[in-house]
């Protein structure tokens, strides 16, 4: 699932609803300018019970940020709210916990969204 003409500006929120597959090892939500320039790589991993966040600049990964608050379960239907601020991203998890990740590229606009792995998007709203 990819969108190349997203017009998300700082101060806006993206709501994503979907279902985690029964056999998911994890899934990924990417936001940025392209698949090789990502401001936010949000990656819950079931095998490690951790949420990994990162950014990518010209195809090069930067330093990982790991959050051990893992509230996802296989087979569940969830809603994520990603708030895009000038200095950071705030991702609200299904249980209300928030994961923060800095806006390392200082982007003021997001044009690319990609969702991969064991997650099927049923709706999203900007």
């Amino acid at each position: 699932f990819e969108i190349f003409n997203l017009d998300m500006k700082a101060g806006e929120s993206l709501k994503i609803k979907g279902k985690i597959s029964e056999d998911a090892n994890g899934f990924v939500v990417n936001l940025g300018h392209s698949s090789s320039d990502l401001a936010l790589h949000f990656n819950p991993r079931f095998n490690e019970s951790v949420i990994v966040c990162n950014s990518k600049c010209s195809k090069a990964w930067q330093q990982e940020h790991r959050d051990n608050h893992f509230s996802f379960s296989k087979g569940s239907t969830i809603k994520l709210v990603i708030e895009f601020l000038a200095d950071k991203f705030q991702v609200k998890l299904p249980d209300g916990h928030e994961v923060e990740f800095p806006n390392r590229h200082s982007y003021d606009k997001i044009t690319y969204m990609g969702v991969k792995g064991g997650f099927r998007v049923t709706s999203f709203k900007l």
Side-chain angles (χ1 to χ4, degrees):
F1 182 83
E2 286 184 305
I3 296 172
F4 297 95
N5 60 351
L6 193 69
D7 186 18
M8 185 176 181
K9 297 172 188 71
E12 293 184 330
S13 292
L14 180 67
K15 295 181 177 91
I16 303 172
K17 287 182 187 167
K19 185 169 169 50
I20 300 171
S21 65
E22 295 286 352
D23 59 351
N25 293 323
F27 63 92
V28 174
V29 177
N30 287 324
L31 294 174
H33 285 176
S34 69
S35 59
S36 54
D37 285 291
L38 299 174
L40 175 67
H41 168 80
F42 178 80
N43 177 209
R45 298 178 182 173
F46 286 98
N47 58 344
E48 298 176 63
S49 293
V50 69
I51 297 169
V52 176
C53 292
N54 206 341
S55 53
K56 196 191 251 191
C57 190
S58 302
K59 297 184 183 170
W61 287 109
Q62 297 175 309
Q63 190 176 348
E64 274 187 359
H65 166 79
R66 291 175 164 254
D67 191 309
N68 291 319
H69 183 95
F70 197 81
S71 61
F72 298 99
S73 55
K74 295 180 183 190
S76 63
T77 300
I78 62 160
K79 178 172 99 173
L80 293 172
V81 180
I82 302 172
E83 195 176 354
F84 172 38
L85 303 167
D87 61 335
K88 66 184 173 187
F89 293 88
Q90 276 180 225
V91 183
K92 189 176 234 177
L93 305 183
D95 68 350
H97 179 79
E98 288 192 351
V99 175
E100 287 191 358
F101 186 73
N103 181 2
R104 291 173 174 166
H105 303 327
S106 300
Y107 285 163
D108 57 2
K109 191 170 151 185
I110 298 291
T111 53
Y112 171 81
M113 176 172 93
V115 180
K116 295 192 294 205
F119 183 74
R120 189 171 53 85
V121 175
T122 53
S123 73
F124 76 95
K125 183 176 159 191
L126 190 57

